[in-house]
Amino acid sequence: MSEFITVSYLTTAKDLYKKAESIAVGMTVGSWTDLPLARQEMLAPYLGKVGNVTITEEKDGLQQGIISIQYPVGNITPDIPSLLTTVFGKLSMDGKIKLVDIDVPPSLLAQFPGPKFGIAGIRERLGVHDRPLLMSIFKSCLGLPLDELEAQFAAQVEGGVDLVKDDEIFFVDDKAPLAERLGAYNRIIEASGRPVLYAANLTGPVHQLVDKAKYAIDQGATCLLLNVLPYGFDILHRLAADPDINVPLMAHPAMAGAFYAADEYGISSPLLLGKLMRLAGADMILYPSPYGSVALNHTEALTVAEHARVSNGAHKPAFPVPSAGIHPGLVTQLYQDFGTDVIVNAGGGVHGHPNGAADGARAFRAAIDAVVKGQTLTKGAQTSKPLALALEKWGGA
Amino acid sequence: MSEFITVSYLTTAKDLYKKAESIAVGMTVGSWTDLPLARQEMLAPYLGKVGNVTITEEKDGLQQGIISIQYPVGNITPDIPSLLTTVFGKLSMDGKIKLVDIDVPPSLLAQFPGPKFGIAGIRERLGVHDRPLLMSIFKSCLGLPLDELEAQFAAQVEGGVDLVKDDEIFFVDDKAPLAERLGAYNRIIEASGRPVLYAANLTGPVHQLVDKAKYAIDQGATCLLLNVLPYGFDILHRLAADPDINVPLMAHPAMAGAFYAADEYGISSPLLLGKLMRLAGADMILYPSPYGSVALNHTEALTVAEHARVSNGAHKPAFPVPSAGIHPGLVTQLYQDFGTDVIVNAGGGVHGHPNGAADGARAFRAAIDAVVKGQTLTKGAQTSKPLALALEKWGGA
């Protein structure tokens, strides 16, 4: 019995069923009905099949709806470039069509690395098991000398964050080269007496990134940040699959909007940021929260988290990191929406605190502690002056 | 004097100028007006500037138009992941916004490889200087044993094509492994007594693709095909920049529609397929022709070709390969639109010929010869039975 990858598309055509049939043949064996019988027998294992076709709207002689196509697992090699080229290579250019979902059967799933650490592994490293984690972002990185970055880092750690990440646009780091940052930040972490993960931005020629990651680890890196889409999913896969890269990988969604933002084109955010990031090996997945000005809609944001964490029989769950626009007053909502296994990630919400970044982090930690105990933020603010100030500035109760 | 990368976006906002200002600051130094003077002095070289703001429409309190932002060259490392993350990383997720164009100054342009062979280098290898080149695609590759592929290859070469390319979905090649294909096809080419380039699909783990390319060349590869977008632009750059990879690189546009197809999101096709592909080192750029059912609009298709070929002071011109829906009857139009320095690329238009692929290729060659001489196709068909049959089937005169 051959197994299939089930792929669903939102598309528009005069006849959706016919379109589905043309995809099932056109994206696999090329042609079918005109083939001689012997050729059909040879190619049958490679032929795609039409799954469900659901028409949601008919207007002006056009049908819109979801079609699903089944691609034989044997048509692809177990990597994301092969998968995406096969199911959405040429097809992405064929009129109104959005790649909505991909369901990978267990045999293929098992050939992708998935997260090496996942939620449990990261909690283990941090020794934090019973609350959402807190991450902060440098206010900015580009152009700052090491001592200024060290001061930012120290304030964030002092306030109690679990993780700190580089700015994703931090490519030119000549004033604070990677090895020097790692040394300086690790000294600050050590002095704090508490584990903190620092996600260093992994940059450089893509064919050298595996070696660069190992170099970073030699220099003390405890976590790596990657702009997955600008570099391509496959390098995340190769980093995750390498046994010597023994630190968690954090996926940044840079450029993701170019794929998911249009209604009728591109790749859906739950697939792109939830399923594919996890499949390729992200331990933590940053993506737009449903709250800020740079926002994903609420349902999609929850679905990304579901794909990141759901039991899929093969891979560890990854941490969703719904980001942008997060301030302490939003922690109740975040906890309601995402539960305990989430990373609360803030930039302006930490650095913009009236007393600075250390109290900014303290405000978040107090907010997290409150909601985990089932308290209101107002109640939490009674024993946390930083939280009281934050709620005054940003609202929340 | 610092130099700038000028980036233009199509976007919508209440106040386009304010949006431009927030991008210029937000995508570079993060914040500005609230910074102390000493910090402003330190960060001034990294600060983006607002260029032109052109409002094209005002409706319901929203302005739509083109804004241009100037990013200091020193903000990025000379590679496409850094460039795209910097100018469209977070920004891609910030509401309605499409990345329309990027103008790279000469100092930065010179740090990208561009095509190693370009139009002249490929013509040199083929010994063809005075007409559009002809490429054909295998009818299909997936699942076919080597002898069937050899037969397809031989027919195409017999008919007079200059190039043959693998199917871009040809990842699983266990029935006709790369080294065996190269050996078999090269024997056919040698027997023909005429140079023909075979673009073998380069596949595998991205961090090993440079080595895989060298292996392929050792095995006789004369040209390599790459699914640039699924793998990421940077690996094309690294292949092009490697002096030992001494064969032309052909860029396939698989997945490009996910970027360019929406009006208000993503990345424009001229930038994505014209400028960036050439910058990264594609010698030949496949993309949707303006003629077929999988079509780019006419203006965009011509602009892609312009970006591929225009003198930019740093890089060799690349061959545009407007593909899909091409049959011999379209060659007049193709020649009018794209001139001599174009590759006529056909799959169905070769294999679907009433007499098979060899005559399919002959029909194209006759059509090309006719238009170059300023003749009609009807005139060309007087001395080419294959062309006459093709025009009968597909039309054209």
Side-chain angles (χ1 to χ4, degrees), chain A residues 189-328:
Chain A
I189 293 169
E190 206 169 317
S192 80
R194 177 174 78 77
V196 174
L197 294 176
Y198 158 57
N201 199 19
L202 184 63
T203 66
V206 70
H207 65 312
Q208 295 169 356
L209 281 188
V210 168
D211 291 337
K212 181 85 179 279
K214 291 176 186 173
Y215 165 79
I217 292 165
D218 281 346
Q219 300 297 314
T222 53
C223 183
L224 294 168
L225 175 70
L226 182 70
N227 288 301
V228 176
L229 301 171
Y231 280 106
F233 273 110
D234 200 57
I235 192 65
L236 174 60
H237 177 149
R238 304 308 158 185
L239 291 164
D242 192 311
D244 293 332
I245 295 179
N246 57 351
V247 301
L249 301 173
M250 185 184 291
H252 194 279
M255 218 169 77
F259 290 93
Y260 72 65
D263 288 336
E264 300 180 308
Y265 299 96
I267 301 178
S268 80
S269 62
L271 172 61
L272 186 79
L273 298 171
K275 280 196 181 176
L276 295 180
M277 287 289 186
R278 182 184 181 192
L279 204 61
D283 293 292
M284 294 166 269
I285 303 167
L286 277 81
Y287 68 101
S289 82
Y291 315 119
S293 60
V294 179
L296 213 56
N297 82 53
H298 201 256
T299 309
E300 284 183 38
L302 294 187
T303 312
V304 170
E306 192 189 331
H307 287 325
R309 299 185 301 196
V310 72
S311 167
N312 73 4
H315 299 139
K316 294 176 183 165
F319 261 119
V321 192
S323 305
I326 307 293
H327 57 74

Side-chain angles (χ1 to χ4, degrees), chain A residues 39 89 92 148 206 234 255 257, chain B residues 39 89 92 148 206 234 255 257:
Chain A
R39 181 63 70 95
S92 73
E148 300 242 2
V206 70
D234 200 57
M255 218 169 77
Chain B
R39 180 63 71 92
S92 73
E148 300 242 1
V206 68
D234 200 58
M255 219 171 75

Side-chain angles (χ1 to χ4, degrees), chain A residues 3 5 33 51 104 121-122 131 154-155 159 194-195 210 215 234 247 267 286 305 317 322 329 333-335 349 377:
Chain A
E3 283 188 298
I5 304 162
T33 47
V104 172
I122 289 166
R131 59 163 172 84
R194 177 174 78 77
V210 168
Y215 165 79
D234 200 57
V247 301
I267 301 178
L286 277 81
Q333 181 71 49
L334 248 171
Y335 189 65
L377 298 179

Side-chain angles (χ1 to χ4, degrees), chain B residues 29 42 64 70 103 158 173 219 221 228 230 253 295 395:
Chain B
V29 296
M42 179 189 289
Q64 185 177 62
Q70 297 189 295
D103 264 322
E158 183 196 330
D173 64 355
Q219 300 298 314
V228 176

